[in-house]
Amino acid sequence: MAAGRDDAFERGSVQTLRAAKIKHQELSGVKLRKHWPQINFEGIQWGIFEPECGYLDARMSCAAVVDAFVAAGGCYRQASVLVRGLEEAPLCSLCLSDGSQLKAHSYVFACGPWLGQLFPLTVGSFIKATKQDVFFFGTPAGDKRFHDPNLPVWADHRGKFRYGIPGSDRRGFKIADDTRGPDFDPSNGERITNPETLKDIREYVAFRFPALRNAPLIETRVCQYEQTPDSHFIIDRHLANENVWLLGGGSGHGFKHGPAIGEMMAELVLEDGEPEAIWRLARFQVK
């Protein structure tokens, strides 16, 4: 569910849903309050509801992919790639942190916020990692109004872009501010949330979800976005190594595109294809 003022952003969202033929409903403030009385819709005139929308648990999804890959005969290894020699042609093998080497016909680096650190000359200035604070609040005992399926995934576009996921039997009520945070070192940065951000989130929760006004904070997370200047992905060959592919720049929305991007990348590598201009590194070059 997305709620907000009757502005260009929301109207653009409706047009996108219609073009994609995604089932959705445009609900008035009165209907929103009727459907979800646990939410304070003050100041909200209308919203968009996607009845078939849901959310993915990223950690469990990735584990499921690994299990399926191994079950199909794949070999999964976990080790760090050493930076030396990655930007020198030709790249014949990768040196790993466990002392071993990995040799392949082609290499795909899909390293999230670490991509710029591995390839500072080629990608470093085009991907910026930002610190994103995430909070989980405990819901009242026995009160299922804030659990799925009684509450949808939601996004509020008024002012700051805040979003949340309903609680479940496994985790609490999730909420975060999508505003891009300060620069962050994904390897060495302290994973401690900002007290000012928590204060702002608590005030918002108290206003928009009154029954959670004094809800206990049960978990915090510091994630990171890998932001590109135009918020589009980077999908391209390394400028000096034809057998090295670079994939990154999720800009906060990378995970949900994973299956489609993975299929696209596999096709490019296996068929020696060429990425579209919108994904290429050349779009960032000064003309």
Side-chain angles (χ1 to χ4, degrees):
M1 176 185 66
R5 287 193 177 95
D6 185 1
D7 56 16
F9 181 90
E10 294 296 342
R11 289 301 174 190
S13 298
V14 172
Q15 292 172 1
T16 300
L17 292 171
R18 288 174 178 169
K21 298 182 179 180
I22 296 175
K23 291 183 179 180
H24 67 282
Q25 303 168 9
E26 298 176 45
L27 302 178
S28 66
V30 172
K31 290 184 177 180
L32 289 171
R33 286 187 286 273
K34 182 178 180 180
H35 277 288
W36 301 286
Q38 66 271 52
I39 303 176
N40 171 22
F41 286 102
E42 179 181 335
I44 295 177
Q45 300 173 5
W46 68 289
I48 305 167
F49 176 54
E50 298 175 48
E52 296 181 354
C53 179
Y55 65 91
L56 295 171
D57 187 310
R59 184 171 301 184
M60 292 182 65
S61 297
C62 290
V65 169
V66 171
D67 291 343
F69 175 69
V70 173
C75 177
Y76 174 74
R77 296 176 61 187
Q78 187 168 348
S80 298
V81 175
L82 302 185
V83 177
R84 64 174 182 267
L86 292 183
E87 305 217 63
E88 298 173 3
L91 183 63
C92 299
S93 65
L94 298 179
C95 297
L96 305 181
S97 57
D98 61 5
S100 64
Q101 288 191 328
L102 180 65
K103 294 184 178 182
H105 178 269
S106 297
Y107 303 91
V108 177
F109 288 85
C111 309
W114 290 272
L115 189 62
Q117 295 181 356
L118 287 174
F119 298 92
L121 300 179
T122 305
V123 182
S125 60
F126 303 137
I127 284 186
K128 181 174 71 171
T130 59
K131 178 175 177 286
Q132 307 297 140
D133 294 343
V134 180
F135 304 92
F136 295 84
F137 292 94
T139 56
D143 189 344
K144 298 296 184 180
R145 292 178 299 164
F146 302 98
H147 284 210
D148 51 16
N150 299 318
L151 184 71
V153 177
W154 58 271
D156 187 349
H157 300 279
R158 290 166 45 88
K160 293 182 178 180
F161 178 16
R162 301 179 181 91
Y163 68 94
I165 296 177
S168 65
D169 293 335
R170 195 175 67 85
R171 304 192 81 170
F173 177 90
K174 175 183 176 178
I175 180 171
D177 182 351
D178 193 62
T179 304
R180 300 306 186 256
D183 292 354
F184 187 70
D185 183 340
S187 295
N188 302 308
E190 292 282 0
R191 306 248 168 191
I192 300 174
T193 55
N194 188 325
E196 290 300 316
T197 305
L198 174 58
K199 180 177 180 294
D200 177 78
I201 288 293
R202 276 199 175 279
E203 291 175 353
Y204 177 83
V205 169
F207 171 72
R208 193 62 77 194
F209 303 92
L212 299 180
R213 178 181 300 275
N214 297 314
L217 180 66
I218 60 175
E219 184 180 347
T220 64
R221 291 278 175 176
V222 170
C223 301
Q224 62 274 313
Y225 287 167
E226 36 164 333
Q227 190 74 32
T228 59
D230 59 7
S231 296
H232 290 310
F233 291 101
I234 291 174
I235 305 175
D236 203 357
R237 286 185 175 88
H238 188 280
L239 301 179
N241 288 306
E242 283 289 307
N243 67 333
V244 174
W245 286 86
L246 306 176
L247 171 58
S251 300
H253 53 243
F255 179 77
K256 63 189 176 206
H257 294 285
I261 294 295
E263 184 176 335
M264 181 191 303
M265 175 57 71
E267 183 176 338
L268 287 170
V269 174
L270 295 176
E271 299 183 9
D272 196 27
E274 295 295 332
E276 296 183 19
I278 192 175
W279 314 126
R280 287 177 174 270
L281 286 161
R283 73 186 193 267
F284 299 126
Q285 306 299 329
V286 178
K287 298 180 180 180

